[in-house]
Amino acid sequence: MTKITIHKTKTGEYLGFTCEGHAGYADSGKDIVCAAISMLVINTVNSFEKITKEPVQVKAAENTGTIECLFTQHPISESSKVLMDSLVLGLSQVEKQYGQKHCKLRFKEV
């Protein structure tokens, strides 16, 4: 299962997110759930860097399927908030379509 944790402040400001694990929907190379999650996450990180120029700290570990993206300045720009809202929408749709057995989205107050 892939677990995605969206980190927020008490007031609801985004601090970043962590995505870890493999979806396990199908064999490696044929796992459409893993591909969907990966595309959403990687596109969002790339958009922060290339489009909004939001300063982020990104760590990745391919062996564990972990990507962590943390904002280094607060508050983040309105454009970056929209990107995060879009990421949450996309991931919630994957979770709804394929179930929490493969994709679990959660929010953590930090």
Side-chain angles (χ1 to χ4, degrees), residues 2-110:
T2 302
K3 296 178 187 175
I4 305 97
T5 304
I6 307 296
H7 307 286
K8 290 182 143 189
T9 66
K10 288 183 180 187
T11 59
E13 296 291 324
Y14 289 114
L15 297 173
F17 63 88
T18 305
C19 178
E20 55 191 337
H22 297 283
Y25 182 78
D27 292 337
S28 181
K30 297 181 180 181
D31 193 329
I32 61 173
V33 176
C34 189
I37 294 167
S38 295
M39 193 62 186
L40 286 165
V41 167
I42 292 167
N43 187 65
T44 300
V45 171
N46 289 340
S47 295
F48 291 141
E49 294 174 348
K50 303 289 183 185
I51 297 172
T52 68
K53 310 293 189 214
E54 192 71 49
V56 293
Q57 178 183 20
V58 179
K59 296 178 187 174
E62 191 174 328
N63 60 327
T64 59
T66 302
I67 296 177
E68 179 180 66
C69 178
L70 301 174
F71 299 112
T72 59
Q73 293 181 359
H74 305 281
I76 62 173
S77 69
E78 286 299 316
S79 298
S80 293
K81 287 179 190 176
V82 170
L83 288 175
M84 283 298 297
D85 289 343
S86 179
L87 175 65
V88 168
L89 175 63
L91 292 169
S92 66
Q93 292 300 309
V94 172
E95 179 184 56
K96 182 179 177 182
Q97 179 74 30
Y98 296 99
Q100 289 189 346
K101 178 180 178 185
H102 302 291
C103 176
K104 185 169 184 172
L105 178 63
R106 59 187 172 179
F107 297 85
K108 183 176 181 183
E109 191 177 285
V110 180

